[in-house]
Amino acid sequence: MSKQIDINDLNIYYGNFLAVEGVNLTVRANSVMSFIGPSGCGKSTVLRCINRMHEVVPGARAEGAVRLDGENIYGPNVDPVLVRRTIGMVFQRPNPFPTMSIYDNVVAGLRLEKTKGDKRNLDEVVESSLRGANLWEEVKDRLKKPGASLSGGQQQRLCIARAIAVEPKVLLMDEPCSALDPISTLAIEDLIRELRERYTIIIVTHNMQQASRVSDMTAFFNLAAVGKPGKLIEVGPTQQIFTNPQEKQTEDYISGRFG
Amino acid sequence: MSVVETQKAGLEGQLSGRRLPRWSTPALAGGALIVGLIVQLTGWTVVGLAPGVIAAVVFLLGQAIASLAIEGRRHSKDRIATTLIYATFVVALTPLLWILITVLVKGLSVFDWTFFTSTMRNVSPRQPGGGILHAFLGTLEQVGIATLVSVPIGLLAAIYLVEFGKGRLKFWISFFVDVMTGVPSIVAGLFIYTALILTGVLQQSGFAAALALCILMIPVVIRSSEEMLKIVPNDLREAALALGVPKWKVILRIVVPTAISGLITGAMLAVARVAGETAPLLLTTFLAQDINLNAFNGSQTSLPTFIWDQISRGTSSSVNRAWGAALALILFVLIIYAAARILAARFAPKSR
Ligand SMILES: Nc1ncnc2c1ncn2[C@@H]1O[C@H](COP(=O)(O)OP(=O)(O)O)[C@@H](O)[C@H]1O
Ligand SMILES: [Mg+2]
């Protein structure tokens, strides 16, 4: 069901600025990988390359290959729209569509792209996606209310429900908890542990406890100086990265953060 | 209040200071008015200033000095600034109210049922009576056609500029929109006149007038739509794209609906702006005294040209009719504004 991701020699540019250089990385199917590293080292940039959202920024481009179960998503005839259907994304700030109800938000991806499913079908999708995002019990009586009427944490779970409603194989999350309170954060972390059964997940986080709580593998990115390209320094099992890193930079970063 | 109480108890803390009592403002205003009144009655004046101006200056200085003595520099400056802001507000509002009241008083004198249901057919300038029905229908038709042409063009251009445009083409389109915004309305009329009427493509007609209005309307619609589309958060576009929605559908189903209330307001304000244009209409459709519903054939009167026509005839009944038509035009524009607000509120994204 879920898929493996292999990144080969990925160089990522904004215009002429090389933002990230030479990334090689494998994310196994049904595992959670977290990206950590200082701000500006290119975590979001790499993440956005994995579902071809990077090129949405004017002038942005990427060189190299990102393979989804062996198929290069940067291949010549690949349709980015289809890539994004397969590889869903949750953003740092909750961004439900303001014109739509909770219900419509969840099925937005289906309504806007597939031919209209019959009503019962959509109802089922809404329930299963909201259950999948641990939100069903809280909103089942007010599905027709605007998505913006929910709290920040609920909105973020709504965005997760929206992302999984189109049945992607991979879920990318860019600091999904950084705008949330601790309780909502725990709810989302629980959710990530559940979602691992069905998806390959990559999560960017600034919170190392969070990385160690939810992820199997951790990748540490760093940059030599501002204006220099970010690089992948080290990747390994989360336990190992946090207790016994192989690279000095990783150790400095982690010990710096842990005091 | 608590400050005054503290003062009374003599328990001034470090965080509170002495303030002017509340009654000081009305008292000073009253005093200033009395000074103004004295100036008015005695005819004594300072360098020819009007009594009202003198009263305002007395109030401003009196308050500033009192405040400086009791409250200190910062509060004194604050009071001067506050007074000046209110004063400019009154100055800005006065002509507006003056116009409204004048038009209301003069216009209402001819408002009756026949004024709205009859035309100027067989009514001589000296005769009272007659009506604006033909002019009102002409305005509706010309502005309606102009809107039907301008809003889609303007909206599409704005979508291009915000969502797709880059490089040279975007720069030049943007540049010419700016230039067009500044085109005087009579030039728009002159352009249609020389380019389409003198060359025989069109005859003088309501449609030619509507085209002249389009020239004025399109840049306004583009600019307002552009601003509205720009404030749609990029997050929403990305959220939709990341769901695997193609770009054109993101624009159609997410961006435009999110901005729709602002887009409607912008379009309606553009309508209101051209509804009062006179000069381009005189060149392109001229005048008629009776209903002409065919916008493609023959002259057609509209409310602004009706006003111009009646005033130029100069008799007291025709000037009265002009005031009546002016009031009708203001009401028409007001109704458009109100409709814009209601529609905008109706379509605005809701959060509860
Ligand atoms: N839209 C953009 N345009 C130009 N440069 C960008 C853009 N977004 C990010 N960058 C640059 O790319 C580098 C990596 O940024 P980012 O991926 O956001 O880092 P992180 O997510 O690790 O904090 C930074 O130097 C940043 O300035
Ligand atoms: Mg980031």
Side-chain angles (χ1 to χ4, degrees), chain A residues 14 17 19-20 37-46 57 174-175 204 206 223 227-228:
Chain A
Y14 288 101
F17 172 56
V20 182
S39 282
C41 66
K43 307 177 296 292
S44 304
T45 304
V46 173
V57 177
D174 193 351
E175 302 187 34
V204 174
H206 271 295
L223 75 176
K228 292 263 165 45

Side-chain angles (χ1 to χ4, degrees), chain A residues 52 66 71-79:
Chain A
R52 296 196 58 171
V66 176
E71 188 186 357
N72 185 4
I73 66 166
Y74 284 92
N77 292 324
V78 172
D79 179 358

Side-chain angles (χ1 to χ4, degrees), chain A residues 48 81 84 95 112-113 146 149, chain B residues 238 241-242 244 246 249 350-351:
Chain A
R48 289 163 60 91
V81 168
R84 293 173 198 147
N95 50 9
L112 293 184
E113 206 20 36
S149 67
Chain B
E238 296 206 333
L241 286 172
K249 258 189 197 169
K350 292 166 189 63
S351 67

Side-chain angles (χ1 to χ4, degrees), chain B residues 28-101:
Chain B
L28 275 166
L33 275 182
I34 291 172
V35 172
L37 215 60
I38 291 172
V39 173
Q40 171 78 26
L41 294 178
T42 58
W44 174 88
T45 176
V46 189
V47 290
L49 287 176
V53 176
I54 292 179
V57 171
V58 167
F59 176 75
L60 186 69
L61 288 181
Q63 196 180 42
I65 292 167
S67 171
L68 187 64
I70 295 174
E71 299 177 315
R73 283 177 65 91
R74 184 166 54 85
H75 285 294
S76 174
K77 283 191 230 163
D78 178 41
R79 287 189 188 269
I80 293 175
T82 309
T83 307
L84 285 178
I85 287 168
Y86 277 110
T88 43
F89 173 68
V90 169
V91 168
L93 214 60
T94 308
L96 183 67
L97 282 176
W98 196 346
I99 292 173
L100 275 181
I101 290 170

